Structures are given as structure tokens and as C-alpha cells.
Amino acid sequence: MTLRRLKTLLRHTPFRILLPTALMILLLAGSVFLYLLPSLQQTFMSYKKQTIYELTGSVIASLDHLDRQARAGKMSQAEARRLGRDMVRDLRYGPEGKDYFWINDTTPRMVMHPYRPDLNGKDLSGYQDQNGKHLFVEFVEATRTRGGGFVDYFWQWKDQPEKVAHKMSYVREFQPWGWIVGTGLYLDDVQKEIAQYRNRFTAIFLSVLLIISGLQFYVLRQTALSEERRSKVLAQREKLVLALREGEERYRTIADFAYDWELWIGVEGGVLYCSPSCERITGHPPEAFFEKPTLIREIVIGADQPAWDRFLEDADTEQGDFLDFRIRTSEGDTRWINVVARSVSGIGMKPLGIRCSMRDITERKQMEDQLRHQALHDPLTGLANRTLCQDRIDQAMRRSIRREHYYFAVIFMDLDRFKIINDSLGHHFGDLVLGETAHRLTEEVRSLDTVSRFGGDEFVLLLDELSSPGEAIRIVKRIREAMTERFIFNNNEVRTTASFGIVLSPIGDISSADVLQNANIAMHRAKEAGRNRFKVFTERMLESAVAQLSLENDMRHGLENGHFRVEFQPIMDLTGSDLMGFEALARWDHPTRGLVPPSEFIPLAEECGLILQLGEWVLKESLKTLADWRKDTPGAAHIYLSVNLSTKQFARMELDKVILDSLDEAGLPPSALKLEITESAIMDHPESAVRILRRLRKLGIHFSIDDFGTGYSSLSQLQQLPVDTLKVDRSFISRMKTDPENMEIVKAVIALAHSLNLEVVAEGVEEPEQVCSLLNLKCECVQGFYFHRPLKQEDALNLIRSRGEEDSPQAQMAQAKQDCFEVADEPEDA
């Protein structure tokens, strides 16, 4: 370009156009940064505060749901509070999912803090932040005076105790439990987000400035090209001024920009205004809605479109309306939107359409779903929990009332020997087994069925819409087969089985809790039958369970009210022809049933745990009786007492203390007591059994192995036990004459005992032939109905006093021996 040409361009360039435009842009940019950004910051902060307010409301609603469940009796208050604490502890939101909730009470004491477990249970009335603010006292004050509110203070940065940051929290009281639930936002996070938006706006303004500047230079260049085209340039300048005025109006609209999506739908259905937030929420720019007004309805999820149509009709009033609905973004994501709308009127109340304000509430909806899922599902397996299970059973029962030929079944399943898995391989391995069990159950049932974890290793299945009750049996058999397959985790392999209790419809007018109880009863019957079985519930099972529970309650009352007594069965000496001692036997005189046999109440006491109380009572009562005999009767000085110990008694850590205290209370030496222990009690824990026996044996207490021959002890184990006596079980004695094999067993047991320097006591001797056989086998002692039945306390004392008289024990034994000799001397042809 020549110098002359340049001078011509400069001379004809209308700088008067450039100067006002540049000043306008500078003023506009200044107004945006001085007015819009602070307003945006305030609006954004209000949105953040509203968000944590709504999230706190959702948590309070979930706690209220648990409280109602507890008040309805579906769970205990303690369980409801525990579930509430666990639920709130797991909630996370915000950047990186590290924002959290905490709970303190009005004391104030910390109930739960996910990142500060060291504060749990502590009194925080004196706790101060770095500015000396008693923040927990202010939390309590905020809920007490205003029902809830915002408090700003300094606190550790999320899960980083070493970093302290400025924080604003909202607290609200859950009055039924006296809990203050709080959550907050870190102002540094808010400032970062605001900075991001500020940078975006700055970039937009710079881009606009560059575009306008380029346009200005282009217009100026065109204007200066030719003096002849001055008139055209002036016309273009007028158009440019008009465009700038329209741009100024648009920028004023942007100055009114809000974080929510603002939408103005005209009377004819067209879009008159759409805020830029629509792109952040939907992924579509505002121009898309201007060009295609139907796009608003098209992005609404199909299932929610009818609700959206009704909403537009109902919202076209002065009162307006609101709606929660779902949309599909341009990227295919689903978001929840809350819309509030009302009609818009102009001068003279002229209808101008509907103004809508829409907010993205996806995060809040997700948290509500999370809270609902946690309240109704087991956290370990992901299966339905007890609450949801009972609700599904209630629904099935209601359907069975309305529909004919509708069948369902409730299955109560319990893993066999699961405690052994936990004890041997640890609870982590047990959790893996439970998780795999849940997977197998889910695989074996249909999609319409419900599988729930009832607690521990117990699972409940609801089989719905069965073609017949027999279909439930086929499904249970399939599940039972799947449960027998091995479990392999971390190179550890175990096998287990399961027991099932089944309740088949129709079930009558009972509650879901009763259905579960009946299924549980049937499951226990399956376990009693040998495990890896299933039983279908019958009314007889319920009657038996009720009777057993009634008998258990009667036993408790009987122990408290003195309905139990001790009888004493004499132990006779075959070699010395004298009374050696007594075996103490518990007897129950029921006030209405009369004498309850031991075969009925002893197993029940073992099962319900009363055997410890009953056994200790028998020990103390019988020792006290023996002490009275020795004190008042000279012939009782060498009489000993034999008392049975159950397996559970033998497993007690304080067994030696209980025995020694009982001897001290009675004032008897340890040699006066002989404890009878079954083989199974010893072999369940052989090492600890040897330690207990040796410890008590050193003190002078004697031991005998009861019912020897019915267990599985080996000779090597028997040699290690510090026992004095073997008692041959009555089942072998009763069949000595009729079964030669039993005679050989008795002979072998006696020979074994003699080889180990042990005495032998034969139980259940009822016939003279048995006495004679035992004499020939050199058995030392006997007890049984042939000599004496179990005696009451007075009769046993009279037996002791009768020693030396005509009908004394010595005389009875001597007569029995004489009868045996006479039988042996008779000729074979007699």
C-alpha cells in the first residue's frame, strides 16, 4: 500500500464511530464485572445453601421413616437408631464425594462423625475452632431458637485433619431422638466454582470484544475504500448502530442471568426467552429452543410426558404449579428437573404465556434413592432386608385373599455349621460365603421371587405366583443341591449344607411375622432331623413349639419356686458288699403335670441354656444334703456323692470355681465328690478337658466317665485322662444275656478299665443274672433297680442308717451273691 493510499484511508476513516463503540464495550464490561459477578456469587451461594438445606431435609425424612418403623413395632428403637447412624455415616456428596453429614445431640455430645471417630460420644460443649468459637454450642442454639440454621466456623478440610478451612454448615434437629443433623460446604470449594464461571464469562466477553473489534475494522476499511461510496457507508453505519443497540439489550438480559434455567413460553407455544443455563442442564443451547419450541417436550422422558402436559395446563394460572420430572440430555444422560411455573400477564392483564423456573435436582434424587435402598436392603449381600421381606410377604398374603388359585411359599433357610466356618477361617471368609450364598439363591429363583437376608446366616425366600404348592418343593430341592457345591475363596475350600423350613399357602388369617415364625419352626425341625433337609410346616409343629416354650417357662418358674428336687440312687460295692455312695439325680415335680421325666426336661434345659443353672443347683443341693448326712449320721462318713456334668457345664471357664465354692459352702472335702462326665463332653475339646480334669484332680475331686462305650474315645485319649471310674452304659448291661456281642463288649470294657487301674460301675442292673455275670467279670460296683430305685432324701438317709441291720445294703448284697452261688452249684440237668 502506497503512502498516498494510506493517507487517503486515514483521512476518510470515520473515527467518530469507533470511539463510542469502544467506550460502550468498556462500560458494558465494567458493568458486568461490577454488577453481574457479585450478583452471580450471591445467587450461587444461595443455591449451595438451598442444596444442603434440601439434602438435610432428605436425611431427616429418612430418620423419621426409621422412627415410624420402630414405633410400629417393626424394629426396636435401638436398632432404628443404629440403622440411622450407619445410613448417615455412609452418605457422601459434593466434589470428589467427600462432603458428609454428622450427628450430635443437644447436650451437645457427638453421636456420629464419619471422619472424626475420636469425637464420638464426647461432650463437645467446650470445643472451639481456631477463632475461639464454641461451634457445637452454636449448633444447639441455632436449632433451639430457629429450628435450624446456618453457622460459619473453621473446621478440618474434609478427611485431612492437618488442614483447616472456613466452612458454613446447616444444622437441623430431629426431635424424636434429640439428634442434631448437620452438613456444610467449604467456602473454598464455592469460591473455586465461582472462579470457574467468572473465567468463562471473561472468555465470552473477550471473544465478543474481538468479534466486534474485527467487525469495526472491517466496516472502517470498507468506508475508507472509496469516497464515492460514502452514502452506502453511512447506511451501513446506521445498521451497525442498530445492531449494537440490539446487542446492548441482549447483554442487559444476560445481566439478569440466574443459575436456574429460566424459560418463557408464549401464548402460541413459542419460546420468547430461554436463559443460557439450559445448555448446562440439557446440553442444548438456547437457540435450539427458539428454533424448535417442541424440543422442550421432546427431551422429557416418555413416561413423564403426560405429567408434563398436565403440568402446563395446571400451571397456566396465577397460583401456578410445580413438578418433578426427568429429561434426556443431548449426551444421553438422564437428569431430574424440578420446575415451578405460573402464568405471565402484561398491561391490562393481557396473557403473555407461562414463565418457568427449572432446577437440576439429580443429586438430591440420587441421594433419596440411596437412602431408600439402604433402609430396605442388606449392606453385605445387597439382598432385601427383614423390613422389605415382611412387606413383600404382606403383599403376597393380600393377593391370596383377592385371587382364587393363587399360591405362594415362604422358605426359611439356615446354613448348617456356619459357626464353624467363622471360627476356623474368620469372619471375613464367612462374609464371602454369605455373599456367594446370596448369589446362588438369586440364580436359582425366578425374577418375580424375593430373596432376603434375615440376619446372620439366615435367609428367607418368597416364591410368588406358583403354579401349585409342589413347585415350591422342586425349587427348594434345586436350591439345596446348589448349596452343597463347594465354596472356594483365597485357596480355602469348604462345603456346607442348608436346612429349610417351608410354609405353603393358603395360610389362614395370620400376620407375616407369624408366617416367618412358622417357617422358622419348620426349619428347626429340619435341623433336628439331621440337617441338609427341608420340612413343610404343619399345625402340629406349632403346637409342639408352643408346648416346648411353655415347658421352658415352667422350668424357669420351677427353678425359682422350688419345684425341683434331688433323688439319690445307691451305688453298691460288689466286692465289699457295702453301700459306696449315691448318684444325685434331678427330679421335677410340675404343679399341674406331675412328675416330668428327665428324658424330657434335660434335653430342653440343654437347648435353652438352663442346664447351667439346673446343674449348679443340683450340685449345691446334693452336697448340702451329704453334709447334713455326715454331720448327723456316723455311718455316712465314707459315703461319696456322684454328680453329672453336662457338656455345657464342662465347657464353662469358671467350672473349678463353681465346684470349689459349692464344696466350701457345704463344708465337705473334695474327696466327697465324684463328677460324672460323658465321653462326648471330653472329646469335643480334649486338650482343654485334660487341663480341667487335672486341675480339679489335684484338689482331690474324683471323676468317672459316664455311659462309657457309647462315645468315640480312643485308648490313647483315655490313658491321658485323670479319671477314677468307668461307668458301663445300661444299654449294654440290659442285653448281656440276650446278645452275646454285648456280653463281649462289657467284658472288654471291664478288662480295659482294670488294665488302666480304674474301677467299673455297671448301670441299670435289674436282674439277678446280670449281678451274677458282673460278679464273674469282677466288676467292682453296680447300681440299678435290682437293689434300689432312686430314693428321696429321707429314704436315702434311712438306707445309710440301716447298715448292719437285716435289710441293710450289706444283707441285700450278700443275699444276691448267695443266689448267684446257688445257681452256679445247681446241676445242669436240673
Side-chain angles (χ1 to χ4, degrees):
M1 180 180 293
T2 64
L3 181 61
R4 181 180 177 184
R5 181 63 174 166
L6 180 60
K7 290 181 179 179
T8 303
L9 289 174
L10 291 175
R11 184 173 63 251
H12 295 289
T13 299
F15 289 99
R16 61 184 180 276
I17 298 176
L18 180 62
L19 184 60
T21 304
L23 291 176
M24 182 271 294
I25 293 174
L26 291 175
L27 289 174
L28 179 61
S31 66
V32 167
F33 279 95
L34 292 176
Y35 172 75
L36 178 60
L37 291 181
S39 176
L40 177 63
Q41 180 174 356
Q42 183 178 0
T43 302
F44 190 76
M45 178 61 74
S46 298
Y47 166 75
K48 285 293 186 178
K49 292 169 69 175
Q50 180 66 22
T51 298
I52 63 174
Y53 173 83
E54 293 174 354
L55 292 178
T56 305
S58 298
V59 173
I60 292 295
S62 299
L63 294 177
D64 186 61
H65 171 74
L66 292 174
D67 184 59
R68 290 197 304 271
Q69 292 285 316
R71 293 177 185 274
K74 296 184 178 180
M75 65 177 71
S76 65
Q77 280 288 345
E79 184 178 4
R81 294 186 183 212
R82 179 183 64 78
L83 288 175
R85 286 194 299 270
D86 294 344
M87 172 193 70
V88 176
R89 180 184 294 110
D90 295 337
L91 294 179
R92 297 290 187 276
Y93 66 95
E96 299 180 1
K98 289 188 176 181
D99 288 339
Y100 58 88
F101 289 86
W102 80 89
I103 303 172
N104 60 272
D105 59 22
T106 56
T107 312
R109 285 183 181 276
M110 181 64 71
V111 176
M112 185 285 301
H113 196 292
Y115 288 147
R116 293 292 303 276
D118 57 305
L119 296 180
N120 291 345
K122 291 185 178 180
D123 183 357
L124 302 176
S125 56
Y127 195 97
Q128 301 179 16
D129 66 0
Q130 66 182 30
N131 290 340
K133 178 178 287 188
H134 291 77
L135 54 150
F136 288 95
V137 174
E138 290 204 15
F139 294 159
V140 175
E141 186 65 23
T143 59
R144 184 174 297 158
T145 58
R146 306 189 299 275
F150 291 89
V151 179
D152 67 307
Y153 55 95
F154 285 87
W155 188 258
Q156 75 172 53
W157 179 262
K158 300 181 180 177
D159 59 344
Q160 302 177 25
E162 69 280 356
K163 183 179 178 182
V164 178
H166 196 187
K167 187 175 184 180
M168 175 177 290
S169 295
Y170 178 77
V171 293
R172 179 174 172 186
E173 182 180 3
F174 181 59
Q175 294 182 351
W177 294 349
W179 284 5
I180 296 177
V181 180
T183 187
L185 51 89
Y186 290 90
L187 298 186
D188 288 349
D189 283 342
V190 178
Q191 292 301 327
K192 287 180 182 178
E193 292 190 52
I194 291 175
Q196 291 176 357
Y197 286 106
R198 182 172 63 245
N199 294 337
R200 292 176 186 174
F201 281 124
T202 302
I204 292 173
F205 288 130
L206 289 176
S207 300
V208 172
L209 180 61
L210 290 174
I211 293 172
I212 294 177
S213 299
L215 181 62
Q216 285 290 329
F217 281 111
Y218 174 78
V219 171
L220 292 174
R221 182 177 178 278
Q222 291 297 106
T223 304
L225 287 177
S226 175
E227 288 290 335
E228 292 83 5
R229 299 170 59 188
R230 181 178 297 274
S231 57
K232 185 181 292 186
V233 171
L234 291 175
Q236 291 177 347
R237 187 182 67 179
E238 299 236 349
K239 292 180 181 179
L240 180 61
V241 171
L242 179 61
L244 290 175
R245 288 175 180 174
E246 292 174 354
E248 182 180 3
E249 184 178 352
R250 286 198 302 272
Y251 293 135
R252 287 198 185 100
T253 303
I254 293 175
D256 296 331
F257 173 81
Y259 189 75
D260 293 340
W261 176 16
E262 301 296 334
L263 186 68
W264 182 2
I265 302 176
V267 177
E268 301 298 329
V271 176
L272 303 181
Y273 175 75
C274 181
S275 67
S277 294
C278 67
E279 189 166 3
R280 175 179 57 82
I281 295 175
T282 68
H284 297 283
E287 293 78 10
F289 296 96
F290 287 119
E291 296 172 0
K292 187 178 182 182
T294 57
L295 179 62
I296 301 171
R297 187 179 187 278
E298 290 174 4
I299 65 175
V300 177
I301 297 294
D304 294 346
Q305 286 181 354
W308 170 259
D309 295 336
R310 291 192 300 270
F311 166 75
L312 290 180
E313 295 176 3
D314 298 337
D316 194 11
T317 62
E318 291 185 2
Q319 292 79 19
D321 202 356
F322 66 92
L323 175 68
D324 290 348
F325 65 100
R326 293 164 295 172
I327 65 168
R328 187 81 66 188
T329 68
S330 61
E331 296 179 354
D333 298 329
T334 299
R335 291 188 179 180
W336 275 95
I337 304 297
N338 170 261
V339 58
V340 179
R342 57 163 295 176
S343 63
V344 180
S345 301
I347 299 175
M349 299 303 294
K350 178 181 177 180
L352 299 179
I354 300 175
R355 178 184 177 275
C356 301
S357 181
M358 289 179 274
R359 173 175 296 180
D360 185 349
I361 59 170
T362 304
E363 188 173 309
R364 191 185 79 189
K365 284 291 186 179
Q366 289 174 345
M367 181 167 289
E368 290 176 357
D369 293 340
Q370 180 184 358
L371 291 171
R372 190 178 300 109
H373 185 275
Q374 289 179 350
L376 298 175
H377 290 79
D378 173 53
L380 176 63
T381 62
L383 299 177
N385 63 9
R386 182 178 304 198
T387 302
L388 183 56
C389 172
Q390 288 190 255
D391 180 69
R392 296 280 175 82
I393 294 175
D394 285 332
Q395 295 179 27
M397 294 171 66
R398 288 193 291 270
R399 284 194 294 271
S400 68
I401 295 174
R402 296 193 305 268
R403 293 165 52 184
E404 190 176 359
H405 303 302
Y406 169 82
Y407 301 105
F408 70 93
V410 176
I411 317 297
F412 202 107
M413 189 195 88
D414 183 87
L415 294 179
D416 299 328
R417 300 171 63 251
F418 182 73
K419 184 178 184 300
I420 297 177
I421 297 175
N422 264 346
D423 293 343
S424 59
L425 299 176
H427 289 278
H428 174 67
F429 191 89
D431 290 345
L432 294 176
V433 171
L434 292 176
E436 176 62 20
T437 298
H439 174 72
R440 293 183 186 183
L441 291 176
T442 306
E443 289 292 318
E444 295 299 332
V445 300
R446 304 159 301 170
S447 59
L448 56 84
D449 298 328
T450 299
V451 180
S452 64
R453 183 183 176 210
F454 210 64
D457 59 334
E458 297 175 337
F459 296 83
V460 174
L461 293 81
L462 171 63
L463 306 181
D464 210 351
E465 299 284 356
L466 297 174
S467 59
S468 67
E471 186 180 0
I473 305 299
R474 291 192 294 271
I475 295 175
V476 169
K477 288 181 178 179
R478 191 168 66 238
I479 294 173
R480 182 178 63 172
E481 184 68 25
M483 293 308 303
T484 59
E485 297 179 5
R486 60 183 179 175
F487 294 85
I488 302 177
F489 302 107
N490 301 327
N491 297 323
N492 290 314
E493 175 182 337
V494 296
R495 291 183 183 272
T496 186
T497 56
S499 300
F500 303 83
I502 307 173
V503 173
L504 300 174
S505 65
I507 56 177
D509 187 15
I510 59 176
S511 66
S512 59
D514 293 331
V515 174
L516 289 169
Q517 177 187 352
N518 294 343
N520 192 14
I521 291 172
M523 184 272 293
H524 281 287
R525 292 295 178 272
K527 278 190 175 293
E528 292 170 2
R531 296 189 176 92
N532 195 26
R533 300 171 183 267
F534 61 86
K535 292 288 184 181
V536 178
F537 173 79
T538 63
E539 289 297 329
R540 181 173 297 178
M541 289 182 183
L542 180 59
E543 294 171 1
S544 175
V546 171
Q548 188 173 10
L549 179 61
S550 176
L551 190 63
E552 179 183 337
N553 292 330
D554 290 347
M555 186 183 299
R556 296 182 189 275
H557 292 307
L559 286 169
E560 295 172 358
N561 300 323
H563 296 160
F564 282 84
R565 58 183 171 85
V566 179
E567 288 190 352
F568 302 87
Q569 185 167 33
I571 301 174
M572 309 295 291
D573 183 8
L574 275 178
T575 59
S577 303
D578 196 3
L579 176 66
M580 300 293 294
F582 293 92
E583 179 180 358
L585 303 172
R587 293 293 183 264
W588 181 10
D589 292 321
H590 194 280
T592 58
R593 293 181 53 181
L595 185 64
V596 180
S599 59
E600 185 173 348
F601 72 80
I602 293 295
L604 177 60
E606 289 270 8
E607 181 179 347
C608 67
L610 287 175
I611 193 65
L612 298 177
Q613 183 179 351
L614 177 61
E616 188 171 341
W617 177 85
V618 170
L619 177 65
K620 292 184 176 181
E621 187 69 19
S622 57
L623 287 177
K624 179 182 176 183
T625 301
L626 179 60
D628 292 340
W629 290 347
R630 288 193 171 192
K631 181 179 178 181
D632 301 332
T633 307
H638 300 291
I639 296 296
Y640 69 84
L641 196 64
S642 184
V643 179
N644 290 279
L645 284 182
S646 71
T647 303
K648 291 187 177 180
Q649 284 178 281
F650 192 65
R652 292 180 67 179
M653 296 295 294
E654 66 275 14
L655 174 63
D656 51 352
K657 183 179 183 301
V658 172
I659 293 173
L660 293 177
D661 288 347
S662 301
L663 287 169
D664 289 341
E665 289 179 14
L668 290 172
S671 60
L673 176 62
K674 179 178 287 189
L675 296 175
E676 297 189 7
I677 310 164
T678 62
E679 289 181 89
S680 57
I682 297 173
M683 293 304 112
D684 282 346
H685 305 283
E687 294 182 1
S688 60
V690 170
R691 287 196 299 269
I692 295 173
L693 292 176
R694 286 178 177 171
R695 189 165 62 244
L696 294 173
R697 189 68 180 86
K698 287 180 181 179
L699 299 173
I701 296 173
H702 299 280
F703 291 92
S704 64
I705 298 181
D706 194 17
D707 300 334
F708 187 78
T710 60
Y712 47 86
S713 58
S714 66
L715 179 59
S716 61
Q717 291 168 331
L718 187 61
Q719 287 177 314
Q720 298 176 8
L721 299 175
V723 297
D724 307 278
T725 307
L726 295 184
K727 297 191 74 172
V728 184
D729 186 62
R730 66 180 63 248
S731 61
F732 298 115
I733 302 299
S734 62
R735 296 195 298 270
M736 282 196 305
K737 288 297 183 182
T738 59
D739 188 350
E741 185 178 344
N742 275 276
M743 174 64 81
E744 294 300 321
I745 291 175
V746 174
K747 185 185 298 183
V749 170
I750 294 175
L752 172 63
H754 290 166
S755 68
L756 297 175
N757 295 321
L758 302 178
E759 290 186 350
V760 179
V761 177
E763 295 182 300
V765 177
E766 298 180 358
E767 299 176 0
E769 293 82 2
Q770 296 170 352
V771 176
C772 298
S773 297
L774 293 170
L775 276 170
N776 292 333
L777 296 175
K778 294 182 173 55
C779 177
E780 286 83 3
C781 301
V782 294
Q783 65 181 91
F785 292 175
Y786 179 77
F787 295 100
H788 297 284
R789 290 179 177 272
L791 304 175
K792 295 182 179 180
Q793 180 178 339
E794 299 81 5
D795 296 334
L797 179 58
N798 291 333
L799 181 64
I800 297 173
R801 290 173 175 171
S802 68
R803 297 168 74 185
E805 298 179 2
E806 257 184 52
D807 56 349
S808 66
Q810 296 94 326
Q812 291 179 334
M813 186 60 70
Q815 183 62 45
K817 290 181 179 180
Q818 182 64 34
D819 293 340
C820 290
F821 295 149
E822 291 177 358
V823 171
D825 292 339
E826 289 180 1
E828 293 183 2
D829 57 354

